[in-house]
Amino acid sequence: MNRTEVLYTDLEVAACFYIARYGIESLVGWQAAAAAMHRKEVRCKVRNIVAMCLDFGICDVAPEFRPKDAIVGTHYEGLTGTAKNLGTRKTNFDLVQQLAQKSQSELQDIIRPAFPGLRFSP
């Protein structure tokens, strides 16, 4: 089953947010989680979350996702997949704001039960 047209669940958004905030290497086994979610576009969701965090000043993101020219108000076209005149997507905006208030260990506690194959690197 490919769930491309189905909205992400809150737990899936939390896993993508974790990757956006702490980096790909921080979540060992994320490919397995993506497969468990039946998602092919996890990287796109992560990039959308990164763009939201940067564009709206929600929180910092992992260094690997920071644009070289990270200027507040800049449209991150390569991250959002939208045209310049459309702006950053705000899908799951409220949830992303809530997740940004949680510590790394709190996020791990949220994600761990949903994706038992994941490990968090120190």
Side-chain angles (χ1 to χ4, degrees), residues 75-108:
H75 176 74
Y76 303 103
E77 186 174 358
L79 294 172
T80 66
T82 62
K84 286 184 180 181
N85 60 346
L86 295 179
T88 301
R89 290 183 180 133
K90 292 178 81 174
T91 309
N92 306 112
F93 184 79
D94 292 338
L95 178 57
V96 169
Q97 285 184 307
Q98 292 170 18
L99 293 169
Q101 302 305 311
K102 303 206 177 293
S103 69
Q104 186 171 8
S105 62
E106 288 173 316
L107 288 170
Q108 290 174 356

mmCIF file of all heavy atoms in Angstrom, residues 75-108:
data_model
loop_
_atom_site.group_PDB
_atom_site.id
_atom_site.type_symbol
_atom_site.label_atom_id
_atom_site.label_comp_id
_atom_site.label_asym_id
_atom_site.label_seq_id
_atom_site.Cartn_x
_atom_site.Cartn_y
_atom_site.Cartn_z
ATOM 1 N N HIS A 75 12.460 32.306 0.962
ATOM 2 C CA HIS A 75 11.668 31.139 0.566
ATOM 3 C C HIS A 75 12.626 29.987 0.279
ATOM 4 O O HIS A 75 13.558 30.138 -0.498
ATOM 5 C CB HIS A 75 10.847 31.453 -0.685
ATOM 6 C CG HIS A 75 10.098 30.271 -1.191
ATOM 7 N ND1 HIS A 75 8.982 29.796 -0.558
ATOM 8 C CD2 HIS A 75 10.320 29.455 -2.234
ATOM 9 C CE1 HIS A 75 8.548 28.736 -1.208
ATOM 10 N NE2 HIS A 75 9.345 28.511 -2.230
ATOM 11 N N TYR A 76 12.396 28.853 0.892
ATOM 12 C CA TYR A 76 13.268 27.699 0.730
ATOM 13 C C TYR A 76 12.688 26.777 -0.334
ATOM 14 O O TYR A 76 12.182 25.710 -0.039
ATOM 15 C CB TYR A 76 13.434 26.972 2.066
ATOM 16 C CG TYR A 76 13.977 27.897 3.119
ATOM 17 C CD1 TYR A 76 13.153 28.436 4.084
ATOM 18 C CD2 TYR A 76 15.318 28.260 3.123
ATOM 19 C CE1 TYR A 76 13.652 29.311 5.030
ATOM 20 C CE2 TYR A 76 15.826 29.127 4.060
ATOM 21 C CZ TYR A 76 14.984 29.650 5.014
ATOM 22 O OH TYR A 76 15.477 30.520 5.939
ATOM 23 N N GLU A 77 12.755 27.224 -1.582
ATOM 24 C CA GLU A 77 12.126 26.506 -2.685
ATOM 25 C C GLU A 77 12.599 25.065 -2.776
ATOM 26 O O GLU A 77 11.809 24.151 -2.980
ATOM 27 C CB GLU A 77 12.403 27.230 -4.004
ATOM 28 C CG GLU A 77 11.673 26.648 -5.177
ATOM 29 C CD GLU A 77 11.864 27.488 -6.431
ATOM 30 O OE1 GLU A 77 12.520 28.531 -6.366
ATOM 31 O OE2 GLU A 77 11.353 27.062 -7.470
ATOM 32 N N GLY A 78 13.884 24.829 -2.596
ATOM 33 C CA GLY A 78 14.415 23.481 -2.682
ATOM 34 C C GLY A 78 13.922 22.578 -1.571
ATOM 35 O O GLY A 78 13.920 21.366 -1.687
ATOM 36 N N LEU A 79 13.480 23.192 -0.470
ATOM 37 C CA LEU A 79 12.996 22.403 0.655
ATOM 38 C C LEU A 79 11.504 22.128 0.569
ATOM 39 O O LEU A 79 11.034 21.063 0.919
ATOM 40 C CB LEU A 79 13.279 23.136 1.976
ATOM 41 C CG LEU A 79 14.750 23.301 2.338
ATOM 42 C CD1 LEU A 79 14.881 24.213 3.546
ATOM 43 C CD2 LEU A 79 15.379 21.958 2.631
ATOM 44 N N THR A 80 10.738 23.109 0.129
ATOM 45 C CA THR A 80 9.289 22.984 0.217
ATOM 46 C C THR A 80 8.647 22.316 -0.969
ATOM 47 O O THR A 80 7.552 21.790 -0.860
ATOM 48 C CB THR A 80 8.635 24.364 0.380
ATOM 49 O OG1 THR A 80 8.867 25.103 -0.813
ATOM 50 C CG2 THR A 80 9.164 25.091 1.584
ATOM 51 N N GLY A 81 9.299 22.375 -2.121
ATOM 52 C CA GLY A 81 8.695 21.810 -3.314
ATOM 53 C C GLY A 81 7.595 22.696 -3.881
ATOM 54 O O GLY A 81 6.840 22.283 -4.738
ATOM 55 N N THR A 82 7.483 23.938 -3.399
ATOM 56 C CA THR A 82 6.475 24.855 -3.919
ATOM 57 C C THR A 82 7.155 25.934 -4.750
ATOM 58 O O THR A 82 8.343 26.179 -4.616
ATOM 59 C CB THR A 82 5.696 25.536 -2.776
ATOM 60 O OG1 THR A 82 6.607 26.308 -1.997
ATOM 61 C CG2 THR A 82 4.986 24.524 -1.897
ATOM 62 N N ALA A 83 6.370 26.579 -5.565
ATOM 63 C CA ALA A 83 6.893 27.695 -6.352
ATOM 64 C C ALA A 83 7.110 28.893 -5.428
ATOM 65 O O ALA A 83 6.488 28.988 -4.365
ATOM 66 C CB ALA A 83 5.904 28.046 -7.453
ATOM 67 N N LYS A 84 7.967 29.809 -5.825
ATOM 68 C CA LYS A 84 8.305 30.955 -4.979
ATOM 69 C C LYS A 84 7.083 31.760 -4.561
ATOM 70 O O LYS A 84 7.007 32.247 -3.451
ATOM 71 C CB LYS A 84 9.300 31.863 -5.683
ATOM 72 C CG LYS A 84 10.684 31.301 -5.723
ATOM 73 C CD LYS A 84 11.654 32.267 -6.349
ATOM 74 C CE LYS A 84 13.025 31.634 -6.363
ATOM 75 N NZ LYS A 84 14.039 32.487 -6.926
ATOM 76 N N ASN A 85 6.114 31.895 -5.426
ATOM 77 C CA ASN A 85 4.961 32.722 -5.090
ATOM 78 C C ASN A 85 3.953 32.021 -4.181
ATOM 79 O O ASN A 85 3.004 32.637 -3.731
ATOM 80 C CB ASN A 85 4.272 33.228 -6.360
ATOM 81 C CG ASN A 85 3.770 32.094 -7.227
ATOM 82 O OD1 ASN A 85 4.148 30.939 -7.040
ATOM 83 N ND2 ASN A 85 2.948 32.415 -8.192
ATOM 84 N N LEU A 86 4.151 30.742 -3.893
ATOM 85 C CA LEU A 86 3.216 30.018 -3.032
ATOM 86 C C LEU A 86 3.644 30.009 -1.567
ATOM 87 O O LEU A 86 2.831 29.781 -0.694
ATOM 88 C CB LEU A 86 3.045 28.570 -3.516
ATOM 89 C CG LEU A 86 2.393 28.420 -4.875
ATOM 90 C CD1 LEU A 86 2.294 26.945 -5.256
ATOM 91 C CD2 LEU A 86 1.010 29.053 -4.878
ATOM 92 N N GLY A 87 4.896 30.236 -1.299
ATOM 93 C CA GLY A 87 5.357 30.243 0.087
ATOM 94 C C GLY A 87 5.478 28.846 0.673
ATOM 95 O O GLY A 87 5.189 27.845 0.028
ATOM 96 N N THR A 88 5.909 28.820 1.914
ATOM 97 C CA THR A 88 6.134 27.558 2.616
ATOM 98 C C THR A 88 4.813 26.907 2.993
ATOM 99 O O THR A 88 3.906 27.574 3.471
ATOM 100 C CB THR A 88 6.967 27.821 3.883
ATOM 101 O OG1 THR A 88 8.205 28.423 3.495
ATOM 102 C CG2 THR A 88 7.251 26.549 4.651
ATOM 103 N N ARG A 89 4.728 25.615 2.792
ATOM 104 C CA ARG A 89 3.539 24.871 3.209
ATOM 105 C C ARG A 89 3.425 24.903 4.722
ATOM 106 O O ARG A 89 4.425 24.878 5.424
ATOM 107 C CB ARG A 89 3.637 23.418 2.749
ATOM 108 C CG ARG A 89 3.508 23.246 1.280
ATOM 109 C CD ARG A 89 3.532 21.764 0.931
ATOM 110 N NE ARG A 89 3.397 21.617 -0.498
ATOM 111 C CZ ARG A 89 4.150 20.840 -1.238
ATOM 112 N NH1 ARG A 89 5.072 20.095 -0.697
ATOM 113 N NH2 ARG A 89 3.973 20.774 -2.534
ATOM 114 N N LYS A 90 2.190 24.884 5.211
ATOM 115 C CA LYS A 90 1.956 24.901 6.655
ATOM 116 C C LYS A 90 1.215 23.644 7.105
ATOM 117 O O LYS A 90 0.534 23.654 8.124
ATOM 118 C CB LYS A 90 1.185 26.157 7.046
ATOM 119 C CG LYS A 90 2.011 27.422 6.874
ATOM 120 C CD LYS A 90 1.232 28.663 7.209
ATOM 121 C CE LYS A 90 1.190 28.877 8.697
ATOM 122 N NZ LYS A 90 0.554 30.156 9.068
ATOM 123 N N THR A 91 1.369 22.555 6.371
ATOM 124 C CA THR A 91 0.733 21.303 6.753
ATOM 125 C C THR A 91 1.301 20.852 8.096
ATOM 126 O O THR A 91 2.506 20.821 8.277
ATOM 127 C CB THR A 91 0.992 20.217 5.684
ATOM 128 O OG1 THR A 91 0.651 20.749 4.409
ATOM 129 C CG2 THR A 91 0.182 18.968 5.969
ATOM 130 N N ASN A 92 0.442 20.544 9.037
ATOM 131 C CA ASN A 92 0.833 20.114 10.393
ATOM 132 C C ASN A 92 1.544 21.216 11.177
ATOM 133 O O ASN A 92 2.288 20.939 12.120
ATOM 134 C CB ASN A 92 1.712 18.858 10.362
ATOM 135 C CG ASN A 92 1.090 17.720 9.608
ATOM 136 O OD1 ASN A 92 1.573 17.336 8.549
ATOM 137 N ND2 ASN A 92 0.017 17.176 10.129
ATOM 138 N N PHE A 93 1.307 22.472 10.825
ATOM 139 C CA PHE A 93 1.992 23.602 11.448
ATOM 140 C C PHE A 93 1.815 23.610 12.972
ATOM 141 O O PHE A 93 2.786 23.753 13.718
ATOM 142 C CB PHE A 93 1.481 24.914 10.840
ATOM 143 C CG PHE A 93 2.192 26.137 11.338
ATOM 144 C CD1 PHE A 93 3.432 26.468 10.830
ATOM 145 C CD2 PHE A 93 1.616 26.952 12.302
ATOM 146 C CE1 PHE A 93 4.101 27.609 11.272
ATOM 147 C CE2 PHE A 93 2.269 28.081 12.749
ATOM 148 C CZ PHE A 93 3.507 28.422 12.244
ATOM 149 N N ASP A 94 0.579 23.456 13.441
ATOM 150 C CA ASP A 94 0.322 23.485 14.888
ATOM 151 C C ASP A 94 1.052 22.356 15.602
ATOM 152 O O ASP A 94 1.624 22.557 16.680
ATOM 153 C CB ASP A 94 -1.179 23.406 15.183
ATOM 154 C CG ASP A 94 -1.926 24.653 14.729
ATOM 155 O OD1 ASP A 94 -1.284 25.709 14.592
ATOM 156 O OD2 ASP A 94 -3.144 24.555 14.500
ATOM 157 N N LEU A 95 1.046 21.181 14.999
ATOM 158 C CA LEU A 95 1.732 20.035 15.604
ATOM 159 C C LEU A 95 3.243 20.274 15.646
ATOM 160 O O LEU A 95 3.894 19.998 16.657
ATOM 161 C CB LEU A 95 1.418 18.755 14.839
ATOM 162 C CG LEU A 95 2.102 17.483 15.326
ATOM 163 C CD1 LEU A 95 1.785 17.202 16.796
ATOM 164 C CD2 LEU A 95 1.702 16.304 14.459
ATOM 165 N N VAL A 96 3.800 20.796 14.573
ATOM 166 C CA VAL A 96 5.240 21.082 14.536
ATOM 167 C C VAL A 96 5.598 22.088 15.633
ATOM 168 O O VAL A 96 6.605 21.925 16.328
ATOM 169 C CB VAL A 96 5.678 21.575 13.138
ATOM 170 C CG1 VAL A 96 7.102 22.120 13.156
ATOM 171 C CG2 VAL A 96 5.561 20.432 12.121
ATOM 172 N N GLN A 97 4.768 23.102 15.826
ATOM 173 C CA GLN A 97 5.012 24.067 16.899
ATOM 174 C C GLN A 97 5.000 23.379 18.269
ATOM 175 O O GLN A 97 5.830 23.678 19.127
ATOM 176 C CB GLN A 97 3.965 25.181 16.879
ATOM 177 C CG GLN A 97 4.166 26.170 15.767
ATOM 178 C CD GLN A 97 3.170 27.303 15.848
ATOM 179 O OE1 GLN A 97 1.967 27.079 15.925
ATOM 180 N NE2 GLN A 97 3.678 28.522 15.847
ATOM 181 N N GLN A 98 4.071 22.472 18.477
ATOM 182 C CA GLN A 98 3.997 21.739 19.755
ATOM 183 C C GLN A 98 5.223 20.851 19.949
ATOM 184 O O GLN A 98 5.790 20.798 21.044
ATOM 185 C CB GLN A 98 2.728 20.889 19.809
ATOM 186 C CG GLN A 98 1.449 21.682 19.886
ATOM 187 C CD GLN A 98 0.229 20.812 19.693
ATOM 188 O OE1 GLN A 98 0.285 19.597 19.814
ATOM 189 N NE2 GLN A 98 -0.895 21.432 19.373
ATOM 190 N N LEU A 99 5.625 20.163 18.897
ATOM 191 C CA LEU A 99 6.778 19.269 18.990
ATOM 192 C C LEU A 99 8.054 20.044 19.282
ATOM 193 O O LEU A 99 8.943 19.551 19.975
ATOM 194 C CB LEU A 99 6.926 18.453 17.701
ATOM 195 C CG LEU A 99 5.820 17.430 17.431
ATOM 196 C CD1 LEU A 99 5.929 16.884 16.011
ATOM 197 C CD2 LEU A 99 5.845 16.307 18.454
ATOM 198 N N ALA A 100 8.147 21.261 18.767
ATOM 199 C CA ALA A 100 9.338 22.083 18.971
ATOM 200 C C ALA A 100 9.539 22.444 20.443
ATOM 201 O O ALA A 100 10.653 22.748 20.862
ATOM 202 C CB ALA A 100 9.253 23.349 18.127
ATOM 203 N N GLN A 101 8.487 22.378 21.225
ATOM 204 C CA GLN A 101 8.567 22.702 22.650
ATOM 205 C C GLN A 101 9.065 21.524 23.487
ATOM 206 O O GLN A 101 9.352 21.674 24.673
ATOM 207 C CB GLN A 101 7.188 23.139 23.172
ATOM 208 C CG GLN A 101 6.617 24.341 22.432
ATOM 209 C CD GLN A 101 7.552 25.531 22.442
ATOM 210 O OE1 GLN A 101 8.063 25.914 23.486
ATOM 211 N NE2 GLN A 101 7.794 26.105 21.276
ATOM 212 N N LYS A 102 9.167 20.365 22.876
ATOM 213 C CA LYS A 102 9.566 19.155 23.607
ATOM 214 C C LYS A 102 11.074 18.960 23.543
ATOM 215 O O LYS A 102 11.718 19.330 22.587
ATOM 216 C CB LYS A 102 8.844 17.946 23.036
ATOM 217 C CG LYS A 102 7.326 18.110 23.085
ATOM 218 C CD LYS A 102 6.621 16.818 23.127
ATOM 219 C CE LYS A 102 5.125 16.985 23.241
ATOM 220 N NZ LYS A 102 4.666 17.537 24.483
ATOM 221 N N SER A 103 11.591 18.337 24.593
ATOM 222 C CA SER A 103 13.024 18.019 24.628
ATOM 223 C C SER A 103 13.298 16.820 23.712
ATOM 224 O O SER A 103 12.371 16.113 23.291
ATOM 225 C CB SER A 103 13.459 17.678 26.052
ATOM 226 O OG SER A 103 12.886 16.441 26.442
ATOM 227 N N GLN A 104 14.559 16.586 23.454
ATOM 228 C CA GLN A 104 14.939 15.449 22.622
ATOM 229 C C GLN A 104 14.464 14.141 23.250
ATOM 230 O O GLN A 104 13.932 13.277 22.565
ATOM 231 C CB GLN A 104 16.455 15.424 22.414
ATOM 232 C CG GLN A 104 16.903 14.362 21.438
ATOM 233 C CD GLN A 104 18.376 14.485 21.077
ATOM 234 O OE1 GLN A 104 19.117 15.272 21.665
ATOM 235 N NE2 GLN A 104 18.815 13.720 20.104
ATOM 236 N N SER A 105 14.624 14.000 24.551
ATOM 237 C CA SER A 105 14.200 12.748 25.207
ATOM 238 C C SER A 105 12.674 12.606 25.193
ATOM 239 O O SER A 105 12.160 11.493 25.061
ATOM 240 C CB SER A 105 14.748 12.654 26.626
ATOM 241 O OG SER A 105 14.248 13.698 27.422
ATOM 242 N N GLU A 106 11.948 13.709 25.309
ATOM 243 C CA GLU A 106 10.484 13.631 25.224
ATOM 244 C C GLU A 106 10.047 13.189 23.832
ATOM 245 O O GLU A 106 9.120 12.377 23.699
ATOM 246 C CB GLU A 106 9.855 14.985 25.556
ATOM 247 C CG GLU A 106 9.931 15.364 27.013
ATOM 248 C CD GLU A 106 9.442 16.776 27.280
ATOM 249 O OE1 GLU A 106 9.800 17.698 26.512
ATOM 250 O OE2 GLU A 106 8.704 16.954 28.261
ATOM 251 N N LEU A 107 10.715 13.714 22.813
ATOM 252 C CA LEU A 107 10.393 13.291 21.446
ATOM 253 C C LEU A 107 10.691 11.808 21.246
ATOM 254 O O LEU A 107 9.920 11.085 20.612
ATOM 255 C CB LEU A 107 11.173 14.123 20.431
ATOM 256 C CG LEU A 107 10.725 15.574 20.274
ATOM 257 C CD1 LEU A 107 11.733 16.348 19.439
ATOM 258 C CD2 LEU A 107 9.341 15.651 19.651
ATOM 259 N N GLN A 108 11.798 11.357 21.790
ATOM 260 C CA GLN A 108 12.135 9.936 21.691
ATOM 261 C C GLN A 108 11.058 9.084 22.350
ATOM 262 O O GLN A 108 10.669 8.036 21.818
ATOM 263 C CB GLN A 108 13.492 9.659 22.333
ATOM 264 C CG GLN A 108 14.650 10.224 21.554
ATOM 265 C CD GLN A 108 15.979 10.081 22.269
ATOM 266 O OE1 GLN A 108 16.047 9.613 23.404
ATOM 267 N NE2 GLN A 108 17.037 10.517 21.609
#
